[in-house]
Amino acid sequence: MLRLSGPNAGGAANALMRSVPAPRHAAVRTLRDGSGSTLDSALVIWMPGPGSYTGEDMLELHLHGGRAVLSSVLEELSKVSGCRPAEPGEFTRRALLSGRMDATEAEAVADLVDADTDAQRRQAIRQLGGAVTAEAERWRSVLIQSLAHIEAYIDFPDEEIPSGVVKNVRSALLTTLAEMNARLGDRRGAIIRDGFRVAITGRPNVGKSTLLNALAGRDVAIVTGIPGTTRDVLEVSLDLSGYSVIVADTAGIRETEDPVELEGVRRAERWSQEADIRLILYTEGVTPAAEPAAGDIPVLTQTDRLHAEEIATALADHPSGVSISAQTGDGMAALLERIEQALAECLSGVSDPILTRERHRSAVSSAAAALERFSEWNGGPDEIELAAEDLRLAVYEIGRLTGRVNVDDLLDVIFRDFCLGK
């Protein structure tokens, strides 16, 4: 399919065919070159703006898929004035600039295209449907109304302003601040989009690389009996219950003077600290490299070499752990079930997550910080202008989230609520 968008899309259509179909009706048309020779018989859809994806005139050509067909049609289009190949993401960019979608919805298009799991697809669909926009616009409405009331105190001191306005403003903004902080503390959106991070940690030669290979179903990591074989962090993406899970094999934790292995240990420790959950591997007679913390899963490995009594003894110190043999597959189902349980607990919540990108978190965090400063205002006249400036900044930051910042909205609220100027 070839898609054209822009003010001269109609000109391109006229250059290729004798008659353009009725808007939004698919029709078969013969495409011809400048000499009248047939290029292809194509299904054509004409979508005049603004009711199109980009908000501009659009033409879709559903061609037969041969390279010669595509090449000949592209060559003919290159002769049309102003017709050029689109830049990456340009159709969605034009849709944003024409007001067909906001910044978060444009990001959702990219997330939907890149979705590898069902959960990522569902989240992108929610965001494309305006889930982020609805929350941001609700916050922005509260902020604009609150700022309008504060501005009224500053700019129209002689007018009759309802009593208790400052108290009501403070109450509304504290509620909004609490909602923002709750969203900032919710990492589920980022986990769904970027993946649930699982770190495989432990001392050298406890089976970390063997476990990674078993989970991946292929040889990702080199497995040898030489301590320190793994020097860097190796990552594998899995799809567990429709969610993206990133499992990382890390360097064995031990004291070393080898500068390369030392860097591997440093990276392993950093990845483990940032992971959502850690698998602490150990073997019979070799204690874990770190004491398992809450949420960690102790994993006794190489059980194919042990008797039942030895396994029971080794698990006694870590009753919450699981025992596996990556070589034979024993215990692997139980380990995957534990990881899925941890993932389910991490993603449980009463509402859908909305902050899926660092840009979202940055904008909401800056707005929350401005509201925190506003909350320190004691309501006196001396600092009212500083308080108003903090509110303006909060409005700007939330507007930056969706790409919508409009000063006229503020003026509309001022004159609607107080009927000033009558």
Side-chain angles (χ1 to χ4, degrees):
M1 183 185 74
L2 281 180
R3 176 181 285 174
L4 295 87
S5 179
N8 201 25
N14 292 326
L16 289 173
M17 63 195 78
R18 292 173 180 171
S19 63
V20 179
R24 295 170 186 81
H25 285 76
V28 176
R29 291 290 186 270
T30 298
L31 307 185
R32 306 178 187 275
D33 62 16
S35 66
S37 298
T38 298
L39 299 175
D40 191 22
S41 179
L43 188 68
V44 178
I45 304 176
W46 169 243
M47 292 172 284
S52 68
Y53 179 79
T54 61
E56 304 172 320
D57 289 347
M58 284 185 58
L59 176 68
E60 286 187 358
L61 305 174
H62 297 256
L63 309 171
H64 290 90
R67 293 183 181 179
V69 172
L70 180 60
S71 177
S72 61
V73 174
L74 286 174
E75 182 180 354
E76 196 62 26
L77 286 173
S78 69
K79 302 174 185 177
V80 177
S81 176
C83 190
R84 61 169 177 81
E87 298 292 335
E90 187 170 357
F91 276 66
T92 300
R93 181 185 181 93
R94 286 170 176 255
L96 187 151
L97 293 176
S98 66
R100 296 290 291 175
M101 61 179 65
D102 64 26
T104 62
E105 291 165 344
E107 290 168 329
V109 173
D111 288 345
L112 187 58
V113 171
D114 294 335
D116 291 322
T117 68
D118 194 52
Q120 291 171 336
R121 177 191 61 80
R122 292 196 306 268
Q123 177 166 276
I125 289 291
R126 286 196 301 271
Q127 187 171 325
L128 184 58
V132 181
T133 302
E135 185 92 328
E137 287 301 315
R138 186 172 62 81
W139 288 339
R140 185 167 172 266
S141 176
V142 173
L143 294 175
I144 287 176
Q145 184 159 350
S146 299
L147 177 58
H149 293 180
I150 297 299
E151 291 279 13
Y153 265 124
I154 297 173
D155 296 336
F156 304 97
D158 297 331
E159 297 288 341
E160 293 184 4
I161 307 298
S163 61
V165 165
V166 172
K167 181 180 178 180
N168 293 337
V169 164
R170 182 183 296 276
S171 176
L173 292 180
L174 287 178
T175 299
T176 301
L177 176 59
E179 292 175 357
M180 289 182 180
N181 285 332
R183 289 299 192 181
L184 289 170
D186 185 354
R187 293 187 57 253
R188 292 175 298 158
I191 288 174
I192 292 173
R193 179 177 182 271
D194 301 326
F196 185 70
R197 294 162 64 87
V198 179
I200 303 176
T201 68
R203 300 187 189 279
N205 287 3
V206 293
K208 298 185 298 298
S209 297
T210 303
L211 175 57
L212 182 73
N213 290 342
L215 291 172
R218 56 190 174 90
D219 289 337
V220 178
I222 297 174
V223 178
T224 73
I226 303 173
T229 300
T230 301
R231 300 295 184 93
D232 207 345
V233 177
L234 301 177
E235 299 180 4
V236 167
S237 294
L238 306 177
D239 185 337
L240 294 183
S241 300
Y243 292 92
S244 175
V245 175
I246 300 174
V247 183
D249 175 24
T250 61
I253 307 299
R254 67 169 182 170
E255 297 291 335
T256 179
E257 295 182 358
D258 184 330
V260 178
E261 186 179 356
L262 188 62
E263 174 63 16
V265 171
R266 186 187 67 81
R267 294 186 183 188
E269 291 176 338
R270 183 178 62 187
W271 212 100
S272 298
Q273 291 170 358
E274 296 174 352
D276 298 298
I277 193 173
R278 298 186 302 168
L279 307 182
I280 311 293
L281 272 57
Y282 69 103
T283 60
E284 193 272 333
V286 179
T287 59
E291 188 64 26
D296 291 342
I297 302 177
V299 181
L300 173 66
T301 64
Q302 304 174 7
T303 56
D304 54 302
R305 305 177 183 179
L306 304 176
H307 297 296
E309 313 84 64
E310 294 173 313
I311 295 175
T313 300
L315 285 175
D317 293 333
H318 305 286
S320 64
V322 297
S323 60
I324 66 166
S325 169
Q327 291 284 0
T328 66
D330 289 344
M332 292 295 293
L335 176 59
L336 286 174
E337 185 177 346
R338 286 289 298 277
I339 295 174
E340 290 181 2
Q341 289 175 353
L343 173 60
E345 292 174 3
C346 186
L347 295 179
S348 63
V350 295
S351 62
D352 290 330
I354 66 164
L355 304 184
T356 63
R357 291 172 176 254
E358 185 57 37
R359 188 187 72 82
H360 302 170
R361 303 185 68 81
S362 175
V364 176
S365 179
S366 296
L371 292 185
E372 290 279 6
R373 293 192 297 272
F374 175 86
S375 68
E376 298 173 359
W377 175 47
N378 60 13
D382 295 339
E383 297 180 352
I384 189 171
E385 292 189 0
L386 292 177
E389 186 60 30
D390 285 327
L391 276 186
R392 291 189 197 100
L393 181 58
V395 170
Y396 171 78
E397 291 295 341
I398 293 302
R400 189 166 63 88
L401 177 61
T402 60
R404 294 172 180 166
V405 181
N406 190 348
V407 177
D408 290 338
D409 290 350
L410 176 61
L411 300 178
D412 289 343
V413 173
I414 290 178
F415 288 95
R416 184 186 71 235
D417 281 12
F418 300 111
C419 300
L420 301 171
K422 277 189 175 180

